[in-house]
Amino acid sequence: MKNIKKNFLFNKYDFNENDIFFLLNIMSDSQVDFGDIYFQSKQQEVWILDNKIIKKGTYFFDEGVGIRIVKNFSTSFSYTNSIKLENLINCTNSVCSMLPSKSNRIFKKNLSIKNNSYFYTNINSIKKYSVEKKIYILNTIDCIARKQDVRVIDVYATLTCEYEEIVVGSTDNDFISKDIRPLINVTICVIVEQNSNREKGYSGGGGRLKFDDLIKKKINSEKLIDFWAKEAVRIALVALSAKLSPAGLFPVVLGSGWPGIVFHEAVGHGLEGDFIRKETSIFSKKIGQEVASNLCTIVDDGTLIDCRGSINIDDEGTSSQYNILIKNGILKSFLQDKLNAHLMHQKSTGNGRRESYACLPIPRMTNTYLLPGIDKREDIILSVEEGIYAVNFSGGQVDITSGNFVFSTSEAYMIKNGKIIYPIKGATLIGSGIDVMKSISMVGNDLCMDSGLGICGKDGQNVPVSVGQPTIKINKLTIGGIS
């Protein structure tokens, strides 16, 4: 194992991997069923441009340790931002004393040693690249957006760079896991005006990228920042000409990429182990049953290269995995952290995630998406006599217990006689996750992931995620709008 002290947050403390094992031994001596120690150091730099002016620049730094034990199915947890051995010994002893001394010893020792795979860069863009270069990116975005159309009256752009280091030790492993997690994202809002009518367009993206990727990587032959700036303008101009959405029951075509948020919300959350174990999910007790069209295979994959939701290891030290949740419409598995997996007599799927050292890990998604089918996007649209083509969403709500959802579109179009005829606004998709999945009749061959802005909230914790899908056709879905 590489020396942690050379690469991680311990370089400024008199602390090393042997000290972690010492703390874990305290837990074992206290006969806990399971215990772990989570070290985290996080930096974040944010720059904001508004109306051609850099309005704000902030730098955030935090580091600390979370200490957890499980005994007799109860959990004791404490955290501190003082990374000193004496303090951590006191915290560990305190956590161990919170629960009764008798233990069932339910967790087994894992004697295998695993080397982490690496799915993204370890470069710290906060330190490596100058402030001037970051401000240049924002000014470039402003310039590109304003050149697209004279109706652009304001551009708001944010550049965020993050750099996170984690170290995890646990009583069920004889090794220490570590990870470096960079994250970059750009958000753009463009305001356009015509005849006193104003509309907004949003775009942007990012991932676990190097800063240089913003001007070197390309989408549709254009640099990332060029494409995102133009997209924000395009979406705003589409909104200017949009008509009010009809209401009623329609066939719906969901575009590729970000519309995969429907599966994230209406399906993914319902497959997280804690909801399943407590039987508060509509998918409880449905393993092996048909819950979707046989055209649907949905996966959660934390191993996608450079993707926003990717992780080399989860926040319990388990290697990231490719998990098939639904295969050809049949429910196959759930998303598990260590605790819920054990209580359900299953294995962790590498989905134990937490926002920070001050939070307990819980089952969470990484990159969740629907696998591609064989249909062409053009053929899917041609198959619709009258319906809705939803390209982007601005928000939504889901009831995990019932599976019912409501999603608001930010870019949508009316389809008639197999042709996209005009943009609409105010369209809301209303339905149930299982019902919608069973009514999917066509799945496109154009899978793509979202651009990289996804944030998932659960139990007060936010973590970065990605979603994706190919173009799909839903036979019937209720559309809320204005008739």
Side-chain angles (χ1 to χ4, degrees), residues 76-348:
S76 176
F77 177 71
S78 180
Y79 65 90
T80 178
N81 59 7
S82 175
I83 307 177
K84 296 179 180 179
L85 182 57
E86 181 180 359
N87 181 53
L88 296 184
I89 291 173
N90 291 333
C91 284
T92 302
N93 284 323
S94 176
V95 168
C96 290
S97 67
M98 291 180 187
L99 297 178
S101 59
K102 186 178 179 181
S103 170
N104 292 326
R105 304 295 297 171
I106 58 177
F107 285 87
K108 295 182 180 180
K109 185 80 169 177
N110 181 354
L111 298 178
S112 63
I113 297 179
K114 299 178 182 178
N115 293 318
N116 294 344
S117 298
Y118 294 93
F119 305 111
Y120 39 82
T121 182
N122 62 359
I123 291 177
N124 184 348
S125 293
I126 296 175
K127 290 185 176 180
K128 185 174 177 62
Y129 300 97
S130 67
V131 170
E132 290 75 18
K133 193 166 187 177
K134 294 160 187 170
I135 291 175
Y136 168 79
I137 290 289
L138 291 174
N139 286 328
T140 299
I141 290 170
D142 182 272
C143 183
I144 293 169
R146 292 179 186 277
K147 284 183 178 180
Q148 301 310 303
D149 198 285
V150 295
R151 289 170 287 182
V152 175
I153 61 171
D154 199 4
V155 179
Y156 181 93
T158 302
L159 171 62
T160 303
C161 299
E162 295 182 6
Y163 185 77
E164 181 182 5
E165 301 175 336
I166 70 164
V167 177
V168 186
S170 60
T171 58
D172 65 333
N173 287 326
D174 60 354
F175 59 91
I176 294 170
S177 302
K178 54 188 184 297
D179 198 10
I180 294 177
R181 300 172 180 170
L183 198 61
I184 293 178
N185 70 271
V186 173
T187 59
I188 304 168
C189 174
V190 170
I191 300 174
V192 296
E193 183 177 43
Q194 179 176 303
N195 300 327
S196 300
N197 180 26
R198 291 189 177 187
E199 294 288 353
K200 295 180 180 180
Y202 295 90
S203 186
R208 300 202 183 279
L209 309 171
K210 300 185 290 290
F211 185 81
D212 280 345
D213 289 336
L214 296 176
I215 54 177
K216 289 184 178 179
K217 284 198 170 187
K218 295 184 177 181
I219 303 177
N220 297 341
S221 301
E222 291 187 303
K223 297 175 183 177
L224 290 181
I225 59 169
D226 293 47
F227 178 82
W228 293 332
K230 292 176 182 178
E231 269 292 281
V233 175
R234 183 192 66 78
I235 292 169
L237 294 177
V238 165
L240 276 179
S241 60
K243 300 180 181 181
L244 294 177
S245 171
L249 200 61
F250 292 94
V252 173
V253 176
L254 297 183
S256 62
W258 179 246
I261 189 66
V262 171
F263 293 101
H264 171 99
E265 294 288 356
V267 180
H269 277 300
L271 296 178
E272 291 169 339
D274 47 355
F275 294 129
I276 296 295
R277 179 176 62 82
K278 297 171 186 176
E279 298 186 6
T280 56
S281 168
I282 193 173
F283 295 103
S284 296
K285 299 182 179 180
K286 284 188 168 61
I287 279 286
Q289 296 183 26
E290 181 182 352
V291 295
S293 160
N294 61 9
L295 300 174
C296 293
T297 296
I298 300 174
V299 303
D300 184 85
D301 181 9
T303 70
L304 294 179
I305 301 299
D306 295 342
C307 212
R308 178 177 173 85
S310 293
I311 48 176
N312 294 320
I313 57 171
D314 73 1
D315 294 322
E316 296 179 305
T318 305
S319 297
S320 189
Q321 299 174 29
Y322 176 91
N323 298 300
I324 299 176
L325 304 176
I326 297 171
K327 184 174 182 179
N328 298 330
I330 306 300
L331 181 57
K332 293 293 186 180
S333 66
F334 305 122
L335 300 173
Q336 298 285 16
D337 63 346
K338 285 184 177 180
L339 178 57
N340 284 283
H342 177 79
L343 295 176
M344 295 174 65
H345 306 289
Q346 298 179 9
K347 293 182 179 180
S348 171

